[in-house]
Amino acid sequence: MAEFTLELNDDQKQVRDWLHGFAEDVMRPAAAEWDEREETPWPIIQEAAKIGIYSLDFYAQQFFDPTGLGIPMAMEELFWGDAGIALSIVGTGLAAVGVLANGTEEQIGTWIPQMYGDVDDVKVAAFCSSEPDAGSDVASMRTRAVYDEAKDEWVLNGTKTWATNGGIANVHVVVAVVDPELGSKGHASFIVPPNTPGLSQGQKFQKHGIRASHTAEVVLEDVRVPGHCLLGGKEKLDERLARARERAKAGGGERVKNAAMATFEASRPAVGAMAVGTARAAYEVALDYAKTREQFGRPIIDNQGIAFQLADMRTQIDAARLLVWRASWMATTGKPFTSAEGSMSKLYASEVAKKVTGQAIQILGGNGFTREYPVERMHRDAAIYTIFEGTSEVQRLVIARTLSGMPIR
């Protein structure tokens, strides 16, 4: 078991510096353009693929880093570059995590490579869980998957929303209800292969922030997928549903996780790291500005009102990173989140990102409110962290339930 450490090893430092260089030299110069265009930055994804950042091998290396710090370190550097472009580069990872969390070895080996494509023909993937009437309330999910035993096929019907890469993805991972009576315990995840009839893109959302990332509805109309596209396989699903039914009859017992929550639990510290990257970027802009901007004959950082804000900003960013690193290390080394440490890291880091980017605008004054400086974009981008993959309110609910052992509502 890897010991917890705050010191990156030489290999990690090399990767960090490599990612930082890509973020600084490739992502940042293009950030404003793709934010304005509100389109997927395919040329930037292509550049990331050429040097090995957008690839299964790279994310596998970071995912299997024995210290647990590979993924959060990578997320922080890329989102330091630009959140919208970074989400376009890493958005496929959520679908990949969905397969890793729920799939068999054969499914992992078959589908994850197809999510990324290759250097000459890059692809993206989408994880589809949220619905128009079921965001945080996963128990209200309406998308249905019905098994056609005669053809060994699953038939999917429903509408998903807020799907990163939804509709433009090569591979979609869809969470659907297979047993409505079991609520969230009756869910399962399915692979929808490329060019499957019946899957289409619905509304593409015009967003407040992360505008270089494609977000859309995914409509499923009698979508038929082979039986082997059920993640984990039917035998495992039947066993899990049987346990859930027995538990429901007994009124308690073993807790059975649903497919969507298994994916979110694995990814929450990574989202925290994204928030840290955006917060750090805004803080650095504000610090440099405060050192060079003069009012009344001296740099504004000479004023306690500015200096103290910057001190608080840096302290909060470092505290958020520590929570993210702790949760990531715990997840990698198999330590249970007995106090909902994963949710803690995501909650605190996302709130810090919103606060720090807002303070950065305040320090830049009128300039911070214009698009001439990047902090207004960073502030818009930071708003998403308290919303996606579990709102701040949901994180607090998870933490409170874990600490109290009570079904707090």
Side-chain angles (χ1 to χ4, degrees):
M1 180 182 295
E3 295 295 326
F4 181 69
T5 177
L6 300 178
E7 181 65 28
L8 298 178
N9 59 43
D10 290 341
D11 289 341
Q12 290 169 328
K13 290 177 182 177
Q14 185 176 4
V15 172
R16 178 198 62 191
D17 294 344
W18 172 53
L19 292 170
H20 188 83
F22 179 80
E24 185 172 36
D25 298 337
V26 180
M27 295 172 66
R28 283 202 163 182
E33 174 189 351
W34 289 100
D35 177 71
E36 290 289 339
R37 291 176 64 167
E38 298 191 54
E39 297 175 357
T40 300
W42 290 107
I44 310 300
I45 299 175
Q46 183 82 42
E47 289 300 311
K50 286 180 180 178
I51 64 172
I53 292 176
Y54 187 76
S55 70
L56 172 61
D57 288 344
F58 172 72
Y59 288 106
Q61 289 174 12
Q62 305 316 309
F63 186 83
F64 291 111
D65 182 332
T67 69
L69 302 185
I71 289 294
M73 178 193 65
M75 294 300 105
E76 180 177 337
E77 292 305 324
L78 292 173
F79 280 75
W80 173 89
D82 178 69
I85 294 176
L87 193 57
S88 287
I89 293 173
V90 308
T92 294
L94 185 58
V97 168
V99 176
L100 286 168
N102 301 295
T104 64
E105 290 187 8
E106 182 178 358
Q107 290 170 330
I108 291 169
T110 299
W111 296 111
I112 292 184
Q114 294 188 47
M115 293 179 175
Y116 289 95
D118 56 43
V119 174
D120 298 320
D121 186 20
V122 294
K123 304 292 186 182
V124 294
F127 182 74
C128 308
S129 177
S130 294
E131 298 186 0
D133 296 319
S136 299
D137 182 13
V138 294
S140 297
M141 190 176 293
R142 295 181 180 178
T143 297
R144 296 287 188 265
V146 178
Y147 185 57
D148 184 341
E149 188 171 0
K151 296 184 177 181
D152 186 26
E153 292 179 338
W154 289 90
V155 184
L156 280 61
N157 282 282
T159 299
K160 295 296 182 178
T161 193
W162 311 123
T164 299
N165 298 329
I168 66 171
N170 193 46
V171 176
H172 290 77
V173 178
V174 177
V175 182
V177 178
V178 295
D179 189 333
E181 295 182 359
L182 293 176
S184 62
K185 306 300 188 293
H187 296 177
S189 290
F190 299 85
I191 292 287
V192 180
N195 303 314
T196 298
L199 184 148
S200 62
Q201 178 183 309
Q203 176 186 5
K204 178 187 175 182
F205 295 103
Q206 307 298 307
K207 304 188 299 295
H208 176 66
I210 54 167
R211 302 198 306 191
S213 171
H214 176 95
T215 309
E217 290 182 333
V218 174
V219 180
L220 304 126
E221 297 178 309
D222 292 329
V223 172
R224 286 182 169 267
V225 299
H228 61 77
C229 287
L230 166 65
L231 290 179
K234 193 168 188 303
E235 182 178 347
K236 184 178 178 181
L237 172 65
D238 289 342
E239 292 175 355
R240 178 166 64 81
L241 294 178
R243 291 198 305 271
R245 293 186 189 105
E246 288 299 319
R247 180 178 179 271
K249 289 179 182 178
E254 180 185 5
R255 179 175 180 263
V256 183
K257 292 180 181 178
N258 68 69
M261 294 311 296
T263 301
F264 291 143
E265 285 182 14
S267 62
R268 276 172 180 158
V271 177
M274 298 173 188
V276 171
T278 299
R280 190 184 110 211
Y283 158 77
E284 290 176 1
V285 172
L287 177 63
D288 289 343
Y289 186 88
K291 289 178 177 179
T292 57
R293 173 68 168 177
E294 291 191 358
Q295 289 287 288
F296 306 106
R298 61 180 185 176
I300 62 173
I301 199 171
D302 281 355
N303 299 301
Q304 287 186 0
I306 300 296
F308 285 7
Q309 281 194 76
L310 289 163
D312 286 344
M313 291 159 73
R314 176 58 185 268
T315 300
Q316 291 162 2
I317 291 167
D318 282 12
R321 183 185 297 109
L322 290 174
L323 285 172
V324 167
W325 281 20
R326 179 184 69 169
S328 300
W329 173 77
M330 290 177 69
T332 297
T333 55
K335 293 186 177 295
F337 289 162
T338 56
S339 299
E341 288 86 352
S343 289
M344 284 185 184
S345 68
K346 197 267 185 185
L347 168 65
Y348 188 73
S350 61
E351 294 289 347
V352 164
K354 281 187 66 174
K355 183 176 181 180
V356 165
T357 54
Q359 288 176 302
I361 290 177
Q362 195 68 22
I363 289 172
L364 269 66
N367 285 328
F369 199 66
T370 70
R371 295 188 181 181
E372 183 179 353
Y373 289 81
V375 290
E376 68 84 26
R377 184 179 70 250
M378 294 169 182
H379 186 53
R380 288 189 284 108
D381 292 341
I384 193 60
Y385 300 127
T386 62
I387 298 171
F388 73 174
E389 294 196 48
T391 64
S392 288
E393 292 74 18
V394 167
Q395 306 308 324
R396 291 185 175 99
L397 187 62
V398 171
I399 296 166
R401 285 176 174 174
T402 303
L403 297 178
S404 67
M406 300 296 290
I408 299 168
R409 297 187 182 278

